[in-house]
Amino acid sequence: MLARLVFFLKEEGYPFNVISLTGDGLIGKQLRAAGIPVKILGFNPQKPNPFLIFKLARWVRESQPDGIHTWMYHADLLGGLAARLAGNVPVVWALHNSTLDPKLTKVSTRWVVKLCAVLSRFLPQKIVACSMVSRDLHVQSGYAAERMEYIPNGFDTKVFKPDAEARSSVREELGLPANTSLIGFMARFDPQKDLTNFIQAAAILHQTDPDVHYVLAGTGLDPENLLLMKVIQANGMIDFIHLLGRREDTPRLNAALDLATVSSAYGEAFPLVIGEAMACEVPCVATDVGDSKLVIGETGITVPPRNPNALAQAWKDMLSLSNQERQNLGKLARQKVLENYSIEKISRLYEKLYLDMFS
């Protein structure tokens, strides 16, 4: 989302400099390729070095920005403090999480969130939440309500769009018949995403719908992930779940699906993969985490998290619709993205925020 926003507003003449706290990664390479300067602070969450904040403050002073927009909790904290040290540069924080599972979220991250809640009254001029659930939950956790603003995620509907050829080409790539029903999961391997829920639901649906296949694409979703392979094998789904790893053709993969799914147990605010699939005219079935239910609305189904039976039943209900009925839902889904979540519309909201805060 950060990259989409920067790419779009750069074309409008806004200059950006991006600082990554930890490393480069794919996004850093994409930004540099587009001519956007990227610096790496080298922060190690395992061995945090508090003195890096002074290096960050020096970079801020040297670049003399009109304002700083931080992204995620650690960046909010470090960026906010560095902006203050650099001479009270205006700061906008971003929130892209909802709940944090205390059993699965690092203690250090939970402490950062608690500290940010206290500092939210002093450091940022505004706090942008990408979902209403995230906004409300953070206010309940002590964040300054008067500084909150809701701006949802945005999607490039010129990139994520229907693609009639994708359906046949992806099935051909996977060695599947052209009429195979395909359910997709696009995400990284992470406890938050609750892949066990997805795999167990697939095994349940397989009992009555054995011809359905499943595509998993994202970092860590590959056959080299022994933990994931063990869960798939334990559920007897090794021949029906296709692990593609990280892919650069996610618009194509999305457009090939009959259904897209988010099976997350917690933490989601506004899952990008929902908007991407909807923009491709693919109906979604998702767990009711964050704003998923609000975004999907009547174009798909939301189910309780950590409930594979409910997820399997929702898939079954959607697949029992005629092709035309599912296509109609897909068209409604894309229309909803066009009207509410296009990158053009969302970037204008950020543009107004920047002009109000940084001018």
Side-chain angles (χ1 to χ4, degrees), residues 102-347:
K103 296 178 181 178
L104 298 171
T105 305
K106 294 178 182 178
V107 173
S108 58
T109 298
R110 301 206 306 272
W111 275 109
V112 167
V113 175
K114 290 178 184 293
L115 185 54
C116 283
V118 175
L119 296 176
S120 66
R121 287 163 175 75
F122 314 104
L123 287 185
Q125 276 63 46
K126 283 286 184 181
I127 306 168
V128 176
C130 73
S131 80
M132 290 194 283
V133 165
S134 179
R135 179 196 63 190
D136 295 344
L137 286 172
H138 282 85
V139 169
Q140 293 170 19
S141 299
Y143 276 69
E146 67 276 8
R147 296 176 188 245
M148 288 286 186
E149 184 158 339
Y150 164 63
I151 302 180
N153 288 327
F155 303 91
D156 189 339
T157 56
K158 297 183 180 68
V159 173
F160 288 92
K161 60 185 179 180
D163 181 354
E165 294 182 2
R167 182 176 181 87
S168 57
S169 68
V170 168
R171 283 161 179 75
E172 183 178 348
E173 175 188 338
L174 299 176
L176 300 174
N179 63 344
T180 301
S181 294
L182 210 53
I183 296 175
F185 176 102
M186 312 285 170
R188 67 187 185 280
F189 183 73
D190 188 283
Q192 174 182 307
K193 306 302 180 182
D194 200 359
L195 272 159
T196 299
N197 181 31
F198 182 97
I199 294 165
Q200 289 176 344
I204 292 168
L205 183 62
H206 183 72
Q207 302 305 311
T208 56
D209 297 74
D211 295 329
V212 178
H213 281 245
Y214 308 83
V215 172
L216 276 60
T219 302
L221 302 183
D222 52 57
E224 285 70 44
N225 186 330
L226 299 182
L227 181 61
L228 178 59
M229 289 294 292
K230 184 177 180 180
V231 177
I232 294 172
Q233 289 172 338
N235 283 274
M237 294 300 292
I238 196 70
D239 294 326
F240 303 92
I241 292 179
H242 306 267
L243 302 177
L244 305 185
R246 181 156 192 158
R247 296 281 291 247
E248 300 302 313
D249 60 344
T250 52
R252 170 177 169 262
L253 294 177
N254 268 296
L257 300 175
D258 291 283
L259 299 173
T261 286
V262 171
S263 57
S264 298
Y266 65 94
E268 300 283 8
F270 180 161
L272 288 170
V273 292
I274 287 178
E276 291 169 354
M278 290 172 64
C280 294
E281 293 190 356
V282 175
C284 293
V285 174
T287 49
D288 188 6
V289 179
D291 272 11
S292 295
K293 187 172 186 176
L294 172 69
V295 176
I296 293 172
E298 300 302 316
T299 71
I301 299 176
T302 51
V303 299
R306 297 187 170 103
N307 189 331
N309 286 298
L311 183 56
Q313 185 60 52
W315 286 340
K316 188 174 184 64
D317 291 344
M318 291 292 281
L319 292 175
S320 68
L321 299 175
S322 68
N323 288 336
Q324 187 60 56
E325 287 173 320
R326 273 202 312 279
Q327 288 173 14
N328 290 341
L329 287 177
K331 291 181 185 302
L332 288 174
R334 178 171 171 83
Q335 189 59 36
K336 189 169 187 180
V337 172
L338 289 169
E339 292 176 359
N340 299 284
Y341 308 116
S342 70
I343 191 61
E344 292 85 358
K345 180 182 179 69
I346 301 308
S347 294

